[in-house]
Amino acid sequence: MTLYSCRKNANSNSEQQVFRYNESANIQTLDPAFSRNQAILWPCNQLFNGLVQLDDSLKIQPDIAHSWSVDNTGKNYTFYLRKDVYFHPHINFGKDSTRTVVASDFTYSFDRLIDAKTASPGAWILQKVARYKAINDTVFQLELKEAFPAFMGLLTMKYASVLPKEVADDLSHDFRSHPIGTGPFYFKYWEENIKLVLRKNPRYFEKDEQGKALPYLESIAITFLPDKQSAFLQFIQGKLDFISGLDPSYTDEIITEEGQLRAKYADRIQLVTGPYLNTEYLGFNLESNNTAVNDIRIRRALNIGFDRQKMLLYLRNGMGTSKVNGIIPQGLAGFTADNTVDFDALEAKKLVSEFTRDTAIKPQLTLSTNASYIDIAEYLQREWQKIGIDVQVDVSPPATLRQGIATGKVDFFRASWIADYPDAENYLSLFYSNNKAPNGPNYTRYGNADFDRVYNASFSEIDSNKRVKLYQQLDNWIYRDVPVIVLFYDRVARFSQKNVHGLGINPMNALQLKRVKKD
């Protein structure tokens, strides 16, 4: 009886230290060189480390590099590595089954990332790098082709993780499905489409503020139910510890129209929301032959001719920031609350009347979107009809829409931009002349010589405060010239059981579990 009781308690305590979540999108690989989406990024965050990392405020923090320096040209970086970082155990390391990370491991990992044979979608993060080398075991140097202050943000991406050559180069070892990294958890088991299990790394190098070793959890268990409503039901039953985001199948069940947790769940579930680096917008093809698209009066009328707060309240349960200005979202340095776009139907009607009087044309546009956003498109269509603009809604499959935007075959389109790295340059690059599609992400074909000049000047500005001022100046041009209509800045929502602590939230919606505790 006593033995049974002890065993039961031990199992209960062990179970309490398992963090469980569902990944409905499935996971194609655990190789960080292919960590191109959230489904892959979340487990890779637990398995791998790089030179630097982000905190929840998107500030660059030490990781395997305990410190670094940048010379006054802004091109030469020197990283100083910790001496106590070990790879997860593997037979290929020999009798000790592991070894410490050294600077040459980053040389190997970066070589592998940009090797055409690897075919990594993340090779682009090193496209501005001229050369890199290990000076010795603990010093790694890197030189850029030109100054690029956002580069440190690129190094926080999982593409830049360190890997062991002995394992990653072993053709008999499938690194995709049996990864070896340095992270707070190591790979234990993966039955694809069924379950993935990661276990606590007892030799992990990071400690908390009290000097206690991280991570706190014993393991992570990830399931792969494709149906989000089924996953939600498992969460409500206490079988999952956490869900992220909102799906139409359960949004109204769990939150109110104002975006608050419903009272019936308040005693056992906690909701945390915060800015998400995703700007939802409508773009104009400024090289279009449509007179209405090319007239700034119509673009401004469309921009101020609908109530964003009402749109979010009724169509998104308040999950978004309606006070918008330029393209830089809330939560990122460079965002400013100045020049807010306010709903003004009278001014919108006046602009439309001026356009019609001067051109003898009634403004007509076609808004191209996909089925996921038809509710917003139809809401806008009704609101714009009230100010005298006829907008037709054309619904296409996502791939067809992307192709039409890239090739310039659509005049007015719905799009969004989720930050690849935590620097406003990522958003402002959408309007740089040299990035006009198909050569880059400037799908609006916006061209402004003054914008280009300041955008280029921001690369050589090492002072972060001065660079943010330049970003705000650039964002003001986007507010003024209206190449896009910012619909809203997105928000991330995280639901967790009441016994989960330390989960945190951040504008990249990155999942980092090394500081999570369960009661």
Side-chain angles (χ1 to χ4, degrees), residues 250-284:
Y250 62 78
T251 295
D252 291 334
E253 166 65 20
I254 196 167
I255 64 171
T256 65
E257 286 184 354
E258 294 78 25
Q260 302 299 312
L261 187 68
R262 291 201 179 273
K264 65 180 180 178
Y265 293 119
D267 62 332
R268 52 197 177 98
I269 291 172
Q270 48 197 350
L271 164 63
V272 181
T273 66
Y276 180 33
L277 297 189
N278 174 36
T279 297
E280 297 281 345
Y281 68 92
L282 306 177
F284 297 98

Side-chain angles (χ1 to χ4, degrees), residues 111-132:
D111 285 347
R112 178 179 184 266
L113 183 66
I114 62 177
D115 190 334
K117 294 178 189 172
T118 304
S120 168
W124 65 271
I125 71 167
L126 297 178
Q127 65 185 1
K128 293 185 181 291
V129 176
R131 58 189 64 85
Y132 47 83

Side-chain angles (χ1 to χ4, degrees), residues 2-13:
T2 305
L3 288 174
Y4 173 80
S5 177
C6 289
R7 188 179 297 116
K8 183 178 179 181
N9 287 338
N11 289 340
S12 176
N13 289 336

Side-chain angles (χ1 to χ4, degrees), residues 139-262:
V139 179
F140 181 72
Q141 285 188 340
L142 184 151
E143 182 186 350
L144 301 184
K145 299 171 185 174
E146 59 184 4
F148 184 59
F151 181 67
M152 288 292 283
L154 296 181
L155 290 182
T156 68
M157 298 177 73
K158 281 299 134 183
Y159 292 132
S161 298
V162 70
L163 310 180
K165 177 181 175 67
E166 300 95 320
V167 184
D169 272 0
D170 183 351
L171 296 179
S172 68
H173 180 93
D174 185 5
F175 199 84
R176 167 199 162 276
S177 61
H178 291 77
I180 297 294
T182 56
F185 298 88
Y186 67 88
F187 172 83
K188 180 65 177 177
Y189 167 82
W190 185 16
E191 184 178 356
E192 296 193 36
N193 304 313
I194 305 295
K195 193 170 189 178
L196 169 63
V197 177
L198 311 179
R199 294 296 304 274
K200 177 178 183 173
N201 175 9
R203 299 194 73 170
Y204 189 60
F205 60 93
E206 286 192 279
K207 294 179 170 58
D208 67 13
E209 291 72 16
Q210 286 72 45
K212 184 175 180 180
L214 298 175
Y216 304 124
L217 296 165
E218 285 297 323
S219 62
I220 300 167
I222 306 167
T223 51
F224 298 97
L225 286 171
D227 181 49
K228 290 187 178 181
Q229 187 172 23
S230 297
F232 172 71
L233 291 174
Q234 290 225 336
F235 173 68
I236 293 301
Q237 293 165 8
K239 296 176 182 177
L240 295 175
D241 293 302
F242 155 80
I243 54 172
S244 175
L246 290 161
D247 186 77
S249 66
Y250 62 78
T251 295
D252 291 334
E253 166 65 20
I254 196 167
I255 64 171
T256 65
E257 286 184 354
E258 294 78 25
Q260 302 299 312
L261 187 68
R262 291 201 179 273

Side-chain angles (χ1 to χ4, degrees), residues 403-447:
Q403 180 69 11
I405 293 170
T407 56
K409 292 180 179 177
V410 297
D411 294 338
F412 187 32
F413 54 89
R414 191 216 73 82
S416 63
W417 192 263
I418 300 176
D420 292 311
Y421 48 93
D423 193 283
E425 184 276 334
N426 195 201
Y427 288 88
L428 298 168
S429 68
L430 300 179
F431 305 99
Y432 181 51
S433 294
N434 289 355
N435 287 341
K436 285 185 180 181
N439 299 320
N442 184 350
Y443 301 115
T444 63
R445 279 82 176 169
Y446 176 76

Side-chain angles (χ1 to χ4, degrees), residues 241-393:
D241 293 302
F242 155 80
I243 54 172
S244 175
L246 290 161
D247 186 77
S249 66
Y250 62 78
T251 295
D252 291 334
E253 166 65 20
I254 196 167
I255 64 171
T256 65
E257 286 184 354
E258 294 78 25
Q260 302 299 312
L261 187 68
R262 291 201 179 273
K264 65 180 180 178
Y265 293 119
D267 62 332
R268 52 197 177 98
I269 291 172
Q270 48 197 350
L271 164 63
V272 181
T273 66
Y276 180 33
L277 297 189
N278 174 36
T279 297
E280 297 281 345
Y281 68 92
L282 306 177
F284 297 98
N285 177 1
L286 299 179
E287 293 181 354
S288 160
N289 293 322
N290 187 319
T291 303
V293 166
N294 286 299
D295 196 299
I296 194 167
R297 290 172 296 186
I298 295 302
R299 300 202 303 273
R300 285 178 176 165
L302 291 165
N303 198 24
I304 64 175
F306 66 100
D307 189 330
R308 287 168 172 80
Q309 188 171 0
K310 190 166 91 172
M311 177 186 73
L312 286 174
L313 187 64
Y314 292 122
L315 300 179
R316 287 294 181 271
N317 291 77
M319 282 295 167
T321 300
S322 62
K323 295 292 185 184
V324 303
N325 37 62
I327 195 73
I328 301 173
Q330 187 177 11
L332 196 59
F335 168 80
T336 172
D338 299 341
N339 302 323
T340 302
V341 179
D342 296 318
F343 173 47
D344 191 339
L346 289 177
E347 178 64 17
K349 288 177 182 177
K350 178 183 172 186
L351 290 167
V352 173
S353 295
E354 288 177 2
F355 170 83
T356 303
R357 182 193 65 215
D358 294 346
T359 64
I361 297 172
K362 182 177 180 181
Q364 293 183 318
L365 301 91
T366 297
L367 173 58
S368 300
T369 186
N370 60 45
S372 297
Y373 282 81
I374 193 166
D375 56 347
I376 285 181
E378 289 178 345
Y379 167 80
L380 294 171
Q381 180 185 45
R382 291 190 298 270
E383 295 301 298
W384 288 332
Q385 189 72 42
K386 297 173 186 175
I387 63 170
I389 301 179
D390 180 20
V391 177
Q392 300 300 310
V393 176

